[in-house]
Amino acid sequence: MTPTTTSRLKRGLLGLALSAVALAALPGAASAQTYKSEYRMSLVLGTAFPWGKGGELWANKVRERTQGRINIKLYPGVSLIQGDQTREFSALRQGVIDMAVGSTINWSPQVKQLNLFSLPFLMPDFAAVDSLTQGEVGKNLFKVLDQAGVVPLAWGENGYREISNSKMAIKKPEDLKGMKIRVVGSPLFLDTFTALGANPTQMSWADAQPALASGAVDGQENPMSIFTAAKLHTVGQKHLTMWGYICDPLVFVVNKDIWNSWTPADREIVRQAAIDAGKEEIAIARKGLVEADKPLLKEIAGLGVTITQLSPAEREAFVKATRPVFDKWKATIGNDLVAQAEKAIAERKK
């Protein structure tokens, strides 16, 4: 090979290399090869519930806005992890799950700051919830989640958790004495119901419904959208007390490796789709409860359920009974974060 030929060959190879670099720099070109044909979204509840509907809205918006580059399949019932809600966050961080609309309650064992929303009687109304999720507290919690290994994008809502049972109308803490109440796997929930004299029983939602039907468990606490969609009046839940002791925000998140495999443009599409879906999902979750006549409660009463609305004095008795639990958990969650939340709620626009 002559020196001239060698020189030409080198120039040709250099040109090819530069072309490859330029091509890789084009939006989507490099990472398009790493896109999966389908992404797995974990959900606790299906699309009959606002929670599952939020996941569906997000998936549809992403597919439409990316022209099918990002296709998402829903896995309700946390089926990717055999129905164990408390393992969802770890599985998301490890890549078993690609993305999720998850509950702050279910993720609180791994991210202790999320227990903030489970402090009994912290948030007296929806304006209080919004003052946290849409303000500085929400931003700080997103930083915590990012440091914990996921990419948080938007807030949704499961709703205020009201208490129902098969025995009697609950109007005061003493009414809960000895009552077997199904709760999720959170130590804070166990502490709260123990303080009220109840017998809190941890079990998955899949196990809860047959337990209620058989009378093995007396009662449960869940948002009204779950009460109606799951037809809890058919499993003995004839007494319902609106006590609004906690509200359960949801978080739209993506696994970090998956997030980093997308182009910056697609990441922004996924983020905005989550924000839009979150707003729509919150409206769905609150429907029938924010209107003056609360039509959802009328609907439930029409099913033969006795609904108890607590007076301010009656509610205060529950606040007082659970205050030691509130104070105990402040340090675990972070005194500064709790103080910031209390300040935001005090300053909220009602």
Coordinates of all heavy atoms in Angstrom, one line a residue, residues 135-189:
G135 N -46.6 23.2 46.7 CA -45.7 24.2 47.3 C -44.3 23.7 47.5 O -43.8 22.7 47.0
E136 N -43.6 24.4 48.4 CA -42.2 24.1 48.7 C -42.0 22.7 49.4 O -41.0 22.1 49.1 CB -41.6 25.2 49.7 CG -41.4 26.5 49.0 CD -40.5 26.4 47.7 OE1 -39.4 25.8 47.8 OE2 -41.0 26.9 46.7
V137 N -43.0 22.3 50.2 CA -42.9 21.0 50.8 C -42.9 19.9 49.7 O -42.1 19.0 49.7 CB -44.1 20.7 51.7 CG1 -44.2 19.3 52.1 CG2 -44.0 21.6 52.9
G138 N -43.8 20.1 48.7 CA -43.8 19.1 47.6 C -42.5 19.1 46.8 O -42.0 18.0 46.4
K139 N -41.9 20.3 46.6 CA -40.6 20.4 45.9 C -39.5 19.7 46.7 O -38.6 19.0 46.1 CB -40.2 21.8 45.6 CG -41.1 22.5 44.6 CD -40.7 24.0 44.5 CE -41.6 24.7 43.5 NZ -41.4 26.2 43.5
N140 N -39.5 19.9 48.0 CA -38.5 19.3 48.9 C -38.6 17.7 48.9 O -37.6 17.0 48.9 CB -38.6 19.8 50.3 CG -38.1 21.2 50.4 OD1 -37.3 21.7 49.6 ND2 -38.5 22.0 51.4
L141 N -39.9 17.3 48.9 CA -40.1 15.8 48.9 C -39.7 15.2 47.5 O -39.2 14.1 47.5 CB -41.6 15.5 49.1 CG -42.0 15.7 50.6 CD1 -43.5 15.6 50.8 CD2 -41.3 14.7 51.5
F142 N -39.8 15.9 46.4 CA -39.3 15.5 45.1 C -37.8 15.3 45.1 O -37.2 14.4 44.6 CB -39.8 16.4 44.0 CG -41.1 16.0 43.4 CD1 -42.0 15.2 44.1 CD2 -41.5 16.5 42.2 CE1 -43.2 14.8 43.6 CE2 -42.8 16.1 41.6 CZ -43.6 15.3 42.3
K143 N -37.1 16.3 45.8 CA -35.7 16.2 46.0 C -35.3 14.9 46.7 O -34.3 14.2 46.4 CB -35.1 17.4 46.7 CG -35.1 18.7 45.8 CD -34.7 19.9 46.6 CE -34.9 21.2 45.9 NZ -34.6 22.4 46.7
V144 N -36.0 14.6 47.8 CA -35.8 13.4 48.6 C -36.0 12.2 47.8 O -35.2 11.2 47.8 CB -36.7 13.4 49.8 CG1 -36.7 12.1 50.5 CG2 -36.4 14.5 50.8
L145 N -37.1 12.1 47.0 CA -37.3 11.0 46.1 C -36.2 10.8 45.1 O -35.8 9.7 44.8 CB -38.7 11.1 45.4 CG -39.9 10.8 46.4 CD1 -41.2 11.4 45.7 CD2 -40.0 9.4 46.7
D146 N -35.8 11.9 44.5 CA -34.7 11.8 43.5 C -33.4 11.3 44.2 O -32.8 10.4 43.6 CB -34.4 13.3 43.0 CG -33.4 13.2 41.9 OD1 -33.7 12.8 40.7 OD2 -32.2 13.6 42.1
Q147 N -33.1 11.7 45.4 CA -31.9 11.2 46.1 C -32.1 9.7 46.4 O -31.2 9.0 46.6 CB -31.7 12.0 47.3 CG -31.1 13.4 47.0 CD -31.3 14.4 48.2 OE1 -31.7 14.0 49.3 NE2 -30.9 15.6 48.0
A148 N -33.4 9.3 46.6 CA -33.7 7.9 47.0 C -33.6 7.0 45.7 O -33.7 5.7 45.9 CB -35.0 7.8 47.6
G149 N -33.4 7.6 44.5 CA -33.2 6.7 43.4 C -34.2 6.6 42.3 O -34.2 5.8 41.4
V150 N -35.2 7.5 42.3 CA -36.2 7.5 41.3 C -36.4 9.0 40.8 O -35.9 9.9 41.4 CB -37.6 7.0 41.8 CG1 -37.5 5.6 42.2 CG2 -38.2 7.9 42.8
V151 N -37.1 9.1 39.6 CA -37.4 10.5 39.1 C -38.8 10.8 39.3 O -39.7 10.3 38.6 CB -37.0 10.5 37.6 CG1 -37.2 11.9 37.0 CG2 -35.6 10.1 37.3
P152 N -39.1 11.7 40.3 CA -40.5 12.1 40.5 C -40.9 13.2 39.5 O -40.2 14.1 39.3 CB -40.5 12.6 41.9 CG -39.1 13.1 42.1 CD -38.2 12.3 41.2
L153 N -42.2 13.1 39.0 CA -42.6 14.0 38.0 C -43.8 14.8 38.3 O -44.0 16.0 37.9 CB -42.9 13.3 36.7 CG -41.7 12.4 36.1 CD1 -42.2 11.7 34.9 CD2 -40.5 13.3 35.8
A154 N -44.8 14.2 39.0 CA -46.0 14.9 39.3 C -46.8 14.3 40.5 O -46.5 13.2 40.8 CB -46.9 14.9 38.0
W155 N -47.7 15.1 41.0 CA -48.5 14.6 42.1 C -49.9 14.2 41.6 O -50.5 14.8 40.7 CB -48.7 15.7 43.2 CG -47.5 16.0 43.9 CD1 -46.6 17.1 43.7 CD2 -46.9 15.4 45.0 NE1 -45.6 17.1 44.6 CE2 -45.7 16.0 45.4 CE3 -47.3 14.2 45.8 CZ2 -44.9 15.6 46.5 CZ3 -46.5 13.8 46.8 CH2 -45.3 14.5 47.2
G156 N -50.5 13.2 42.2 CA -51.8 12.8 42.0 C -52.5 12.6 43.4 O -51.9 13.1 44.4
E157 N -53.6 11.9 43.5 CA -54.3 11.8 44.8 C -55.2 10.6 44.8 O -56.0 10.3 43.9 CB -55.1 13.1 45.0 CG -55.7 13.2 46.4 CD -56.2 14.6 46.6 OE1 -55.5 15.5 46.8 OE2 -57.5 14.7 46.6
N158 N -55.0 9.9 45.9 CA -55.9 8.7 46.2 C -57.1 9.3 47.0 O -58.2 8.8 46.8 CB -55.2 7.7 47.0 CG -55.9 6.3 47.0 OD1 -56.8 6.1 46.2 ND2 -55.6 5.5 48.0
G159 N -56.9 10.3 47.9 CA -58.0 10.9 48.6 C -57.9 10.8 50.1 O -57.1 10.1 50.6
Y160 N -58.9 11.5 50.7 CA -59.0 11.4 52.2 C -59.5 10.0 52.5 O -60.4 9.5 51.9 CB -60.0 12.5 52.7 CG -59.3 13.8 53.0 CD1 -59.3 14.8 52.1 CD2 -58.6 14.0 54.2 CE1 -58.7 16.0 52.3 CE2 -58.0 15.1 54.5 CZ -58.0 16.2 53.5 OH -57.3 17.3 53.8
R161 N -58.9 9.4 53.6 CA -59.2 8.1 54.0 C -60.3 8.2 55.1 O -60.0 8.6 56.2 CB -58.0 7.3 54.4 CG -57.0 7.2 53.3 CD -55.7 6.5 53.7 NE -55.9 5.1 53.8 CZ -55.6 4.2 52.8 NH1 -55.2 4.7 51.6 NH2 -55.8 2.9 52.9
E162 N -61.5 7.7 54.8 CA -62.6 7.7 55.8 C -62.7 6.3 56.3 O -62.4 5.4 55.7 CB -63.9 8.2 55.2 CG -63.7 9.5 54.3 CD -63.3 10.8 55.1 OE1 -63.0 10.7 56.3 OE2 -63.2 11.8 54.4
I163 N -63.3 6.2 57.5 CA -63.4 4.9 58.2 C -64.8 4.3 58.1 O -65.8 5.0 58.3 CB -62.9 5.0 59.6 CG1 -62.7 3.6 60.3 CG2 -63.8 5.9 60.5 CD1 -61.9 3.6 61.5
S164 N -64.9 3.0 57.8 CA -66.1 2.3 57.8 C -66.0 1.0 58.6 O -64.9 0.5 58.8 CB -66.5 2.0 56.3 OG -65.7 1.0 55.8
N165 N -67.2 0.5 59.0 CA -67.2 -0.7 59.8 C -68.6 -1.4 59.7 O -69.5 -0.8 59.2 CB -66.7 -0.5 61.2 CG -67.8 0.1 62.1 OD1 -68.5 -0.6 62.8 ND2 -68.0 1.4 62.0
S166 N -68.7 -2.6 60.2 CA -69.9 -3.4 60.1 C -70.7 -3.3 61.4 O -71.8 -3.9 61.5 CB -69.6 -4.8 59.8 OG -68.7 -5.4 60.8
K167 N -70.2 -2.6 62.5 CA -70.8 -2.7 63.8 C -71.7 -1.6 64.2 O -72.8 -1.7 64.7 CB -69.7 -3.0 64.8 CG -69.1 -4.4 64.7 CD -68.2 -4.7 65.9 CE -67.8 -6.2 65.9 NZ -67.0 -6.5 67.0
M168 N -71.1 -0.3 64.1 CA -71.7 0.8 64.7 C -71.2 2.1 64.1 O -70.1 2.1 63.5 CB -71.5 0.8 66.2 CG -70.0 1.0 66.6 SD -69.7 0.8 68.4 CE -70.4 2.3 69.0
A169 N -71.9 3.2 64.3 CA -71.5 4.5 63.9 C -70.3 5.0 64.8 O -70.5 4.9 66.0 CB -72.6 5.5 64.0
I170 N -69.2 5.3 64.2 CA -68.1 5.8 65.0 C -68.1 7.3 65.1 O -68.0 8.0 64.2 CB -66.7 5.4 64.3 CG1 -66.6 3.8 64.3 CG2 -65.5 6.0 65.0 CD1 -65.5 3.3 63.4
K171 N -68.3 7.8 66.4 CA -68.4 9.2 66.7 C -67.4 9.7 67.6 O -67.1 10.9 67.7 CB -69.8 9.5 67.2 CG -71.0 9.3 66.3 CD -72.3 9.7 66.9 CE -73.4 9.5 65.9 NZ -74.7 9.9 66.5
K172 N -66.8 8.8 68.3 CA -65.7 9.2 69.3 C -64.7 8.1 69.4 O -64.9 6.9 69.0 CB -66.4 9.4 70.7 CG -67.2 8.3 71.2 CD -67.9 8.7 72.5 CE -68.7 7.5 73.1 NZ -69.8 7.0 72.2
P173 N -63.5 8.4 69.9 CA -62.4 7.4 69.9 C -62.8 6.1 70.6 O -62.4 5.0 70.2 CB -61.3 8.1 70.7 CG -61.5 9.6 70.3 CD -63.0 9.7 70.3
E174 N -63.6 6.2 71.7 CA -64.0 5.0 72.4 C -64.8 4.0 71.6 O -64.8 2.8 71.9 CB -64.8 5.4 73.7 CG -64.1 6.2 74.7 CD -63.8 7.7 74.3 OE1 -64.6 8.2 73.4 OE2 -62.9 8.3 74.9
D175 N -65.4 4.5 70.5 CA -66.2 3.6 69.7 C -65.3 2.6 68.9 O -65.8 1.5 68.5 CB -67.0 4.4 68.7 CG -68.1 5.2 69.3 OD1 -68.5 4.9 70.5 OD2 -68.5 6.3 68.7
L176 N -64.0 2.9 68.8 CA -63.1 2.0 68.1 C -62.5 1.0 69.0 O -61.8 0.1 68.5 CB -62.0 2.9 67.5 CG -62.3 3.5 66.1 CD1 -61.3 4.7 65.8 CD2 -62.2 2.5 65.0
K177 N -62.8 1.0 70.3 CA -62.1 0.1 71.2 C -62.4 -1.4 70.8 O -63.5 -1.8 70.7 CB -62.6 0.4 72.6 CG -61.9 -0.4 73.7 CD -62.3 0.1 75.1 CE -61.6 -0.7 76.2 NZ -60.1 -0.6 76.1
G178 N -61.3 -2.1 70.6 CA -61.3 -3.5 70.3 C -61.8 -3.8 68.8 O -61.8 -5.0 68.5
M179 N -62.1 -2.8 68.1 CA -62.5 -3.1 66.7 C -61.4 -3.4 65.8 O -60.3 -2.8 65.8 CB -63.2 -1.8 66.1 CG -64.2 -2.1 65.1 SD -65.1 -0.6 64.5 CE -66.4 -0.4 65.7
K180 N -61.6 -4.5 65.0 CA -60.5 -5.0 64.1 C -60.6 -4.2 62.8 O -61.5 -4.4 62.0 CB -60.7 -6.5 63.9 CG -59.4 -7.2 63.5 CD -59.6 -8.7 63.6 CE -58.3 -9.4 63.3 NZ -58.4 -10.9 63.4
I181 N -59.6 -3.4 62.6 CA -59.6 -2.5 61.4 C -58.4 -2.9 60.5 O -57.3 -3.0 60.9 CB -59.4 -1.0 61.8 CG1 -60.5 -0.6 62.8 CG2 -59.4 -0.1 60.5 CD1 -61.9 -0.6 62.2
R182 N -58.7 -3.2 59.2 CA -57.7 -3.5 58.2 C -56.9 -2.2 57.9 O -57.5 -1.1 57.6 CB -58.3 -4.0 56.9 CG -57.3 -4.2 55.8 CD -57.2 -3.0 54.9 NE -56.1 -3.2 53.9 CZ -55.7 -2.4 53.0 NH1 -56.4 -1.2 52.9 NH2 -54.7 -2.6 52.2
V183 N -55.6 -2.2 58.0 CA -54.7 -1.1 57.6 C -53.6 -1.6 56.7 O -53.4 -2.8 56.6 CB -54.1 -0.4 58.9 CG1 -55.2 0.1 59.8 CG2 -53.2 -1.4 59.6
V184 N -53.0 -0.6 56.0 CA -51.9 -0.9 55.1 C -50.6 -1.2 56.0 O -50.6 -0.9 57.2 CB -51.6 0.2 54.1 CG1 -52.8 0.3 53.2 CG2 -51.4 1.5 54.8
G185 N -49.6 -1.7 55.4 CA -48.4 -2.0 56.1 C -47.5 -0.9 56.5 O -46.4 -0.7 55.9
S186 N -48.0 0.0 57.3 CA -47.2 1.2 57.7 C -47.2 1.2 59.3 O -48.3 1.2 59.9 CB -47.9 2.4 57.2 OG -47.4 3.6 57.9
P187 N -46.0 1.3 59.9 CA -46.0 1.4 61.4 C -46.8 2.6 61.9 O -47.3 2.5 63.0 CB -44.5 1.6 61.6 CG -43.8 1.0 60.4 CD -44.7 1.3 59.3
L188 N -46.8 3.7 61.2 CA -47.5 4.9 61.6 C -49.0 4.6 61.7 O -49.7 5.0 62.7 CB -47.2 6.1 60.7 CG -48.0 7.4 60.9 CD1 -48.0 7.8 62.4 CD2 -47.3 8.5 60.1
F189 N -49.6 3.8 60.8 CA -51.0 3.4 60.8 C -51.2 2.6 62.0 O -52.3 2.7 62.7 CB -51.4 2.7 59.6 CG -51.7 3.6 58.4 CD1 -50.7 4.4 57.9 CD2 -53.0 3.6 57.8 CE1 -51.0 5.3 56.8 CE2 -53.3 4.4 56.8 CZ -52.3 5.3 56.2

